[in-house]
Amino acid sequence: MFSHLHEVQMTRRYRTDHDLMGLEAGSLLSIFDTLTEEDVWQYRYPDDRSLEAVGVTGIYLGNYVRWDPKAQHELMMSKYQYHTARFARTFDCYDHVDCFNYMNVHDQLKLYKHGYSKVTDHACREIRHGRITREQGLGLVRHHELRPAERVDLFCEWLHVTPRALQFLMDLHRNPRHWDQPSPGRWEFKGWSTVTGPAGDSLGRTGSMEFTATGVLDTRERPSYIVIGKGYPV
């Protein structure tokens, strides 16, 4: 979206346009809802005049510090015992380990709607940092993006719906640009990775593509150490 050379600031407009998809806290209030101002006031962003009066400017550290999530996470792992976990739908063990849903149901919906998922974001980042080639990244994407979401039962329990009902609702959001339905209940994916050239190099040719899972998302299980790399992660 931007280069660090643009020195983008964190502003109310940036938050509204890019983080909140054009919505504001006040957008949640309507005569047809039960939400009140007491429910949303803490989510309202200060107006520009108030921020200017106290001299507050929002900045992104990535404009000034080389932002390498893999390196930063591994520094936190070594210094502060930051815990990581393995995901089925991406090779990155570090991002969003605090959430059951982000790399699972949320990521699956992203694939349904946009034709690519978080593993594509992760692969592009690793390509930019020079740790893998484009062909290796494509191989990782194809390996992970169609894997089923995990822990869907926990999300269904929270919603009080069955997994079948949830899947029915999610299927309604499949973008016809990226999905064909040759018969009821049967879907064929035609997203970005299916129209790109064949994956070539084996990931095993690079030794720097390693992510370490120090535990599991479910803290009731005993943590274990899993090194993923030097070959397609499984």
Side-chain angles (χ1 to χ4, degrees):
M1 187 186 306
F2 297 107
S3 162
H4 68 280
L5 298 177
H6 293 140
E7 298 183 352
V8 175
Q9 294 184 1
M10 172 61 192
T11 62
R12 180 177 184 172
R13 178 173 178 177
Y14 182 92
R15 188 185 81 145
T16 301
D17 289 349
H18 301 293
D19 296 332
L20 301 180
M21 310 301 177
L23 298 175
E24 286 273 9
S27 305
L28 302 177
L29 301 177
S30 77
I31 60 174
F32 304 105
D33 209 335
T34 57
L35 293 177
T36 66
E37 179 63 25
E38 292 183 353
D39 298 313
V40 302
W41 70 266
Q42 66 267 42
Y43 303 110
R44 291 188 180 276
Y45 199 82
D47 61 78
D48 293 339
R49 184 174 298 178
S50 299
L51 292 173
E52 185 178 354
V54 295
V56 172
T57 300
I59 63 172
Y60 289 97
L61 290 179
N63 291 336
Y64 308 96
V65 178
R66 184 176 185 269
W67 203 249
D68 182 348
K70 184 176 187 293
Q72 266 98 355
H73 275 108
E74 289 172 349
L75 178 62
M76 295 304 102
M77 291 165 64
S78 64
K79 293 187 66 173
Y80 303 112
Q81 291 75 55
Y82 175 82
H83 287 286
T84 61
R86 181 177 57 180
F87 296 102
R89 294 183 50 80
T90 185
F91 57 89
D92 190 321
C93 302
Y94 303 160
D95 273 352
H96 299 284
V97 293
D98 58 324
C99 180
F100 284 115
N101 300 318
Y102 192 89
M103 293 297 188
N104 289 298
V105 172
H106 180 281
D107 189 55
Q108 195 167 31
L109 273 171
K110 178 176 180 175
L111 185 71
Y112 286 1
K113 295 167 69 175
H114 302 294
Y116 72 100
S117 59
K118 199 66 181 175
V119 66
T120 298
D121 299 333
H122 289 156
C124 290
R125 182 197 67 207
E126 294 305 300
I127 293 169
R128 287 197 301 269
H129 284 290
R131 286 188 281 262
I132 61 174
T133 66
R134 184 180 185 278
E135 290 75 22
Q136 291 167 344
L138 179 57
L140 286 167
V141 169
R142 289 174 172 169
H143 181 79
H144 286 282
E145 66 182 351
L146 293 178
R147 291 204 170 193
E150 299 177 317
R151 298 176 175 84
V152 176
D153 56 328
L154 295 176
F155 189 57
C156 289
E157 181 182 344
W158 180 70
L159 285 177
H160 300 290
V161 300
T162 65
R164 185 176 179 181
L166 177 64
Q167 187 61 54
F168 172 78
L169 293 173
M170 292 176 64
D171 285 342
L172 296 178
H173 294 276
R174 291 188 192 249
N175 190 330
R177 291 178 56 191
H178 310 301
W179 296 90
D180 284 330
Q181 189 179 21
S183 60
R186 180 167 166 253
W187 297 91
E188 293 180 355
F189 182 55
K190 54 177 183 178
W192 167 82
S193 63
T194 66
V195 296
T196 308
D201 297 342
S202 167
L203 189 62
R205 295 185 185 180
T206 175
S208 61
M209 186 57 188
E210 293 184 355
F211 286 79
T212 303
T214 63
V216 289
L217 280 183
D218 189 347
T219 56
R220 291 170 296 182
E221 298 179 36
R222 178 176 297 180
S224 59
Y225 284 80
I226 309 164
V227 176
I228 297 178
K230 299 185 179 179
Y232 292 126
V234 294

